[in-house]
């Protein structure tokens, strides 16, 4: 029997797999190496472990196990109690409100996104993305033509979007959808104004495309009032697919998310959901805890992230303020940072890794090949001492890269 092999797996991988393996696209957060261990990771949006309601979840888990044997079986339709939680989460938006038939429970919002890609995109179809977008790299696996929409402080620029849509229409091209993170945008941290949401929705009506509204962060608001969602503003109930998750408000390990849309859209998404049903046990535990603790627990989480944001802003001012600038988000979990022109991006990234610090460089979100001089910092996971030390080290890396 042979003990050697000439097999090269890369020759068998798909083009998409090789592309992702050879880019930063799907590198796992905090990876590091033996020579450059990562101790201070501001890279991924991990929730704060100190907010996890461990004792309460333990009690709920036992209660579910003792009272509901269906929790350990297949469940292809989704748990009704979890859909009730989603309906309650949507209540503050007013307007068009989802019903049971408008909700599909998924394994996190990430699965919901994958289902949208599968149900809507053929190779060479046109999709619209914000100029800096969370999905800028992952959507490339479906090989669409990406049209980039510029942004300002109120959201996607309407005049430029209209010009783009008119240009596409002149070529008989209708975009499949426009993907937006309207509340505390990932990575930009800003939020769409109400007027901008209405204007973009009017363009969706006029030109016949969908809006995929991804909202992992909207409940984590430090100031101001809820702004009606695209979905709640859509009086037709036909033009918006709204995605959500408990990852940032309870725990990412639950892997519970959802898609809210018209029933025929959800039926198309279900055709690609080949998983035996989203974890029925986790759905029941999640719903049982949140039915009595939803808003009080969101308050706990929001207060934690508000403190962490302020710790990071203070540290950034002291350690990085002379070589960079950043937004001050009213919610969510990210800072979007712009370095001065004399800071070398590649050198700073290398120096940061040597300092044991990880962050997400701006090019990872660029929809048009740009993103230089930008980086995203997540403040949600680290404690106060780690934020202080990590940003101090980031400042050293930034100054080293400016020499």
């Amino acid at each position: 029997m042979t003990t050697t092999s000439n097999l090269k797996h890369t020759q068998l991988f798909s083009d998409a797999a090789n592309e992702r393996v050879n880019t930063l696209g799907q590198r796992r957060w905090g990876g590091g190496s033996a020579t450059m261990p990562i101790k201070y990771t501001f890279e991924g949006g991990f929730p704060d472990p100190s907010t996890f309601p461990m004792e309460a979840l333990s009690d709920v888990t036992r209660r579910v196990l003792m009272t509901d044997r269906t929790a350990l079986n297949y469940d292809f339709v989704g748990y009704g109690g979890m859909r009730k939680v989603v309906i309650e989460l949507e209540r503050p938006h007013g307007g068009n409100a989802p019903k049971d038939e408008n909700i599909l429970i998924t394994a996190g919002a990430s699965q919901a996104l994958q289902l949208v890609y599968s149900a809507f995109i053929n190779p060479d179809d046109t999709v619209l993305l914000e100029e800096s977008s969370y999905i800028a790299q992952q959507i490339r696996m479906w090989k669409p033509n990406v049209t980039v929409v510029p942004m300002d402080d109120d959201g996607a620029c309407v005049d430029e979007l209209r010009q783009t849509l008119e240009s596409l229409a002149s070529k008989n091209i209708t975009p499949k959808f426009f993907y937006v993170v309207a509340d505390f945008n990932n990575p930009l941290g800003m939020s769409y104004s109400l007027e901008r949401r209405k204007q973009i929705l009017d363009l969706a009506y006029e030109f016949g495309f969908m809006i995929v509204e991804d909202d992992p962060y909207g409940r984590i608001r430090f100031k101001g009032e809820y702004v009606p969602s695209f979905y709640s503003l859509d009086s037709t109930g036909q033009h918006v697919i709204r995605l959500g998750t408990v990852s940032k408000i309870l725990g990412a390990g639950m892997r519970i998310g959802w898609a809210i849309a018209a029933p025929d859209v959800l039926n198309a998404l279900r055709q690609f959901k080949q998983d035996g049903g989203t974890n029925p046990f986790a759905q029941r535990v999640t719903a049982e805890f949140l039915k009595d603790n939803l808003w009080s627990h969101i308050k706990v989480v929001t207060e934690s992230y508000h403190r962490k944001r302020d710790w990071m802003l203070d540290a950034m001012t002291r350690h990085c303020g002379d070589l960079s600038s950043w937004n001050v988000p009213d919610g969510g979990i990210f800072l979007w940072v712009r370095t001065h022109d004399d800071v070398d991006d590649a050198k700073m990234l290398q120096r940061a890794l040597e300092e044991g610090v990880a962050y997400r460089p701006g090019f990872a979100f660029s929809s048009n090949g740009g993103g230089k001089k930008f980086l995203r910092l997540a403040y949600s996971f680290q404690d106060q001492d780690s934020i202080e030390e990590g940003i101090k080290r980031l400042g050293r890396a930034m100054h080293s890269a400016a020499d």
Side-chain angles (χ1 to χ4, degrees), residues 259-281:
I260 303 173
D264 64 326
V265 171
L266 296 187
N267 184 51
L269 267 55
R270 286 190 189 96
Q271 307 313 308
F272 301 92
K273 193 175 184 297
Q274 306 297 320
D275 59 4
T278 298
N279 193 324
F281 180 62

Side-chain angles (χ1 to χ4, degrees), residues 68-83 104-106 270 273 275-284:
D68 189 352
R69 289 184 178 273
T70 63
L72 297 180
N73 217 326
Y74 290 114
D75 183 357
F76 296 99
V77 299
Y79 179 51
M82 190 63 232
R83 288 196 293 273
L104 173 65
I105 305 299
T106 61
R270 286 190 189 96
K273 193 175 184 297
D275 59 4
T278 298
N279 193 324
F281 180 62
Q283 283 191 63
R284 282 158 175 79

Side-chain angles (χ1 to χ4, degrees), residues 329-347:
D330 291 334
I333 61 175
F334 299 118
L335 291 189
W336 186 240
V337 180
R338 192 196 190 284
T339 62
H340 292 184
D341 290 344
D342 56 348
V343 177
D344 184 301
D345 292 53
K347 188 175 179 181

Side-chain angles (χ1 to χ4, degrees), residues 150 205 210 217 235 288:
Y205 296 156
M210 300 287 293
Y217 318 105
S235 58
E288 184 69 17

Side-chain angles (χ1 to χ4, degrees), residues 152 170 201 303 336:
D152 63 22
S170 70
L201 193 55
E303 289 174 349
W336 186 240

